[in-house]
Amino acid sequence: MNEPLARFDAEALPVAVYDDQRAMAVAAAGHTADVLRSRVSAAGAARVVIATGNSQLAFVAALREEQVPWEQVTVFHMDEYVGIDDRHPASFRRWIREHVEEPFAPARVCYIDGDAADPEAECARYEALLREAPLDLVCLGIGENGHLAFNEPHDADRDDPRWARVITLTSASRHQQVGEGHFAGFGAVPATAITLTVPALLGARHVQAVVPEARKAHAVRQALRGPVGAHCPATWLRGQAGARLFLDRDSAALVTDEPAVNGG
């Protein structure tokens, strides 16, 4: 049994804290597999959005140990830099190809074309694909500044009419990409990206946030204990039907000293 250290609710958002990143990843992968199997059983197919980045590596590795009917699953990703091709080391298309498409062979993978000649037209194309049928599961993370995908603090819109748009990355997000080793320096990080918007991400039947590592602890505290609003898009997970949050001991370090957690 992969039991969490603690469970608690943050304004109806179920939160589970695990001893380490591996235990968290195994639990999250089990949840993903359950959702996808259930949906394929009920509807014959499933549609999932999968986040990229270092924080999701343990999760997708744990997915390899699960039985998922990938041949009936369509995969989307949630963001891509504008102006880089899919061979760039930091390309999210490359990440999905190497960590999802090649090992799992889903029925279909729908990619955001970051080096499309017309990024606005690419947003419209991708949005149309997303809207073809309901999304069953979104597997996301939380940025160090509290962003969801690349929906940045103070710029994110909970009621955005668009499902995909071009955004300008904050300095904090660009520095995070350098810190994670994706770019040699701040100036090498693209200034803009295409991202799924908050309504697209939170409109799925199920939303799963996987957030490991001590560097995310401040963002986790903001997301769970701070006021809800665009200053920290991750706060919108609270109260979102079908959402749940998976943490490890390090990412939960600033919230697990509170009675609401210890009593769970």
Side-chain angles (χ1 to χ4, degrees), residues 211-227:
V211 189
E213 303 178 41
R215 64 191 175 92
K216 301 294 183 74
H218 179 70
V220 167
R221 181 175 177 83
Q222 278 191 305
L224 297 182
R225 306 303 188 200

Side-chain angles (χ1 to χ4, degrees), residues 26-229:
V26 168
H31 177 252
T32 292
D34 286 346
V35 170
L36 295 179
R37 285 193 298 260
S38 176
R39 192 59 191 160
V40 167
S41 177
R47 288 157 59 87
V48 59
V49 178
I50 299 180
T52 60
N54 293 355
S55 67
Q56 304 302 306
L57 287 172
F59 159 62
V60 294
L63 263 181
R64 298 188 185 204
E65 302 170 23
E66 296 289 341
Q67 295 297 315
V68 176
W70 289 106
E71 69 279 4
Q72 293 164 282
V73 177
T74 296
V75 173
F76 299 86
H77 61 127
M78 57 184 58
D79 41 26
E80 180 60 287
Y81 299 106
V82 170
I84 66 173
D85 63 37
D86 64 358
R87 298 179 301 280
H88 190 287
S91 166
F92 297 134
R93 283 173 287 172
R94 178 174 177 171
W95 196 102
I96 290 288
R97 184 176 68 246
E98 293 179 351
H99 296 288
V100 177
E101 183 174 25
E102 290 175 357
F104 300 135
R108 183 184 183 193
V109 180
C110 299
Y111 287 105
I112 301 171
D113 185 359
D115 55 344
D118 184 343
E120 293 294 345
E122 176 61 9
C123 289
R125 182 193 72 84
Y126 206 70
E127 178 170 343
L129 293 175
L130 291 166
R131 290 183 180 272
E132 284 180 353
L135 295 172
D136 299 301
L137 173 64
V138 169
C139 301
L140 48 74
I142 295 175
E144 291 178 24
N145 65 354
H147 69 213
L148 298 177
F150 273 138
N151 295 281
E152 300 286 36
H154 302 291
D155 189 50
D157 184 355
R158 182 66 179 85
D159 299 313
D160 198 321
R162 298 286 304 276
W163 274 24
R165 66 166 59 250
V166 177
I167 56 88
T168 299
L169 276 69
T170 63
S171 176
S173 288
R174 294 173 73 184
H175 279 297
Q176 177 179 329
Q177 299 306 310
V178 175
E180 291 184 3
H182 302 306
F183 295 93
F186 182 84
V189 184
T192 57
I194 293 173
T195 185
L196 271 62
T197 62
V198 174
L201 297 172
L202 301 189
R205 290 186 172 95
H206 300 272
V207 179
Q208 169 185 294
V210 174
V211 189
E213 303 178 41
R215 64 191 175 92
K216 301 294 183 74
H218 179 70
V220 167
R221 181 175 177 83
Q222 278 191 305
L224 297 182
R225 306 303 188 200
V228 175

